[in-house]
Amino acid sequence: MKTFSARMQYYFSMVLFGSIGLFVRRIPMASLEIAFLRSLLGSVFLGALLLLTRKPFPKKFLREEGGKLLFSGAFLGINWIFLFEAFQKTTITSATLAYYMAPVLFLLLSSVFYRVRFTRIRIVTIGLAFLGLYVLQGSVFTLGNADRSGVFFGLSAALFYALVMLLGRSIHKVDGLHRTFLNLFISLAVLSLYMGFTGAFQEMRIPMASLPEILLIGFLHTGIAYALYFSSISRLEAQEVALASYLDPLFAILFSVMFLKEPLSWTMLVGGSLILGSSLIYEIYGRNKPSKKEIEV
């Protein structure tokens, strides 16, 4: 029964992560401002949750891994800016599929920074993913400049999320919920400094009509989604967590077609299948009992 409850919590978190693009589209604000508000509200929610649960803060380990957490939080904020910009520039399907190049970029970065050797299955998965990206670009390039820039922003978001994953691999002494709170808080600090120096705060206006969507993105799609995610993965098999994470992009595509009536061409389907399938093949055949610490959302 506990496993069933954990599985439902995890699947619901995937639904939440997959539906965020629908709400970003409804907010007439700059991507930087939306990322700032998401970091702010998510930090408040997770900070309150940690206070209520009285989970001790790992101050000793922060001294050892604080530098990595600092960069991880900064990269997370930049990742959100690019992702939200991608949602606003092109279809959610194209943005999501480009963003899901992150696991492949993570493999490439791992080979550089951790000297992870290229096995045949790694080469196959990387090749399939880039082939899928090529097919996806072919379908998007026929639509216009905005869609091309949207795919570019999605790839940029994927790169920075791959860097977050890379740093997360080397952070072992700070647990997932504390790490996520710190990432959000550091992201908030970095975005605040940038907005302060560039004068973005003076230009920022929160439309009251979009306040429900902003609160949903901050509290539901960030605070509650991450709380459900981290409370469930410790009770599930790592392989199940890895494989079920592919529900996130599938839900994103499904919701965009159902609620936004976005087009879904055969080239998008083929490109998306190659991108998602390449990572799925690696999860099934390329990993040897992956650690939960290596799996992030």
Side-chain angles (χ1 to χ4, degrees):
M1 191 65 183
K2 287 184 178 180
T3 302
F4 176 79
S5 175
R7 188 173 289 120
M8 290 301 99
Q9 289 180 31
Y10 182 76
Y11 288 171
F12 186 55
S13 72
M14 292 299 103
V15 173
L16 293 177
F17 289 133
S19 64
I20 190 171
L22 301 179
F23 297 89
V24 171
R25 277 286 189 84
R26 295 172 61 87
I27 302 175
M29 297 177 69
S31 301
L32 173 63
E33 296 169 345
I34 299 174
F36 166 78
L37 291 171
R38 185 184 188 188
S39 297
L40 173 63
L41 297 174
S43 297
V44 169
F45 182 92
L46 290 182
L49 181 63
L50 289 172
L51 286 174
L52 287 173
T53 55
R54 298 182 179 179
K55 295 190 73 171
F57 224 78
K59 296 179 182 178
K60 174 186 173 182
F61 299 136
L62 284 180
R63 289 193 292 269
E64 300 176 28
E65 300 184 326
K68 297 173 186 176
L69 284 165
L70 178 63
F71 280 102
S72 179
F75 290 154
L76 181 66
I78 298 170
N79 151 67
W80 283 347
I81 294 172
F82 283 128
L83 179 60
F84 295 160
E85 191 70 18
F87 285 149
Q88 293 177 344
K89 293 289 186 183
T90 187
T91 64
I92 291 176
T93 297
S94 296
T96 299
L97 293 175
Y99 183 56
Y100 230 75
M101 286 291 291
V104 176
L105 296 177
F106 168 71
L107 285 179
L108 291 172
L109 291 172
S110 296
S111 67
V112 174
F113 290 98
Y114 292 108
R115 296 184 179 180
V116 176
R117 67 186 183 90
F118 278 104
T119 60
R120 276 180 292 183
I121 193 67
R122 285 176 185 269
I123 294 172
V124 169
T125 56
I126 290 171
L128 285 175
F130 278 100
L131 177 61
L133 180 64
Y134 175 78
V135 174
L136 176 66
Q137 285 178 329
S139 68
V140 172
F141 281 5
T142 61
L143 298 177
N145 292 330
D147 291 276
R148 289 197 287 272
S149 65
V151 170
F152 171 77
F153 283 122
L155 283 173
S156 300
L159 174 61
F160 278 96
Y161 192 68
L163 290 170
V164 173
M165 294 168 69
L166 192 73
L167 288 167
R169 178 178 175 178
S170 62
I171 299 173
H172 303 298
K173 298 178 181 178
V174 180
D175 70 76
L177 201 55
H178 280 112
R179 188 198 310 177
T180 303
F181 167 74
L182 289 168
N183 274 339
L184 290 176
F185 185 78
I186 293 168
S187 171
L188 173 64
V190 171
L191 293 176
S192 297
L193 286 172
Y194 178 79
M195 291 178 71
F197 280 121
T198 59
F201 279 123
Q202 285 77 9
E203 300 176 4
M204 182 174 169
R205 299 290 184 272
I206 300 178
M208 289 298 103
S210 299
L211 191 58
E213 286 86 357
I214 293 170
L215 293 175
L216 282 172
I217 286 175
F219 291 129
L220 181 63
H221 292 90
T222 306
I224 293 175
Y226 278 120
L228 290 173
Y229 173 77
F230 283 112
S231 67
S232 60
I233 61 171
S234 61
R235 292 175 285 163
L236 297 173
E237 293 293 330
Q239 188 80 3
E240 180 180 3
V241 171
L243 295 178
S245 68
Y246 290 88
L247 292 173
D248 174 358
L250 293 178
F251 278 128
I253 295 169
L254 179 64
F255 291 151
S256 71
V257 173
M258 288 176 58
F259 298 110
L260 300 181
K261 308 300 181 184
E262 292 186 347
L264 187 62
S265 66
W266 282 107
T267 49
M268 285 182 179
L269 285 172
V270 172
S273 298
L274 287 169
I275 292 172
L276 298 179
S278 66
S279 296
L280 188 60
I281 290 170
Y282 177 70
E283 293 292 351
I284 297 173
Y285 300 107
R287 283 183 184 268
N288 292 317
K289 295 182 179 180
S291 167
K292 293 187 181 72
K293 293 178 180 178
E294 293 182 315
I295 304 167
E296 298 290 343
V297 170

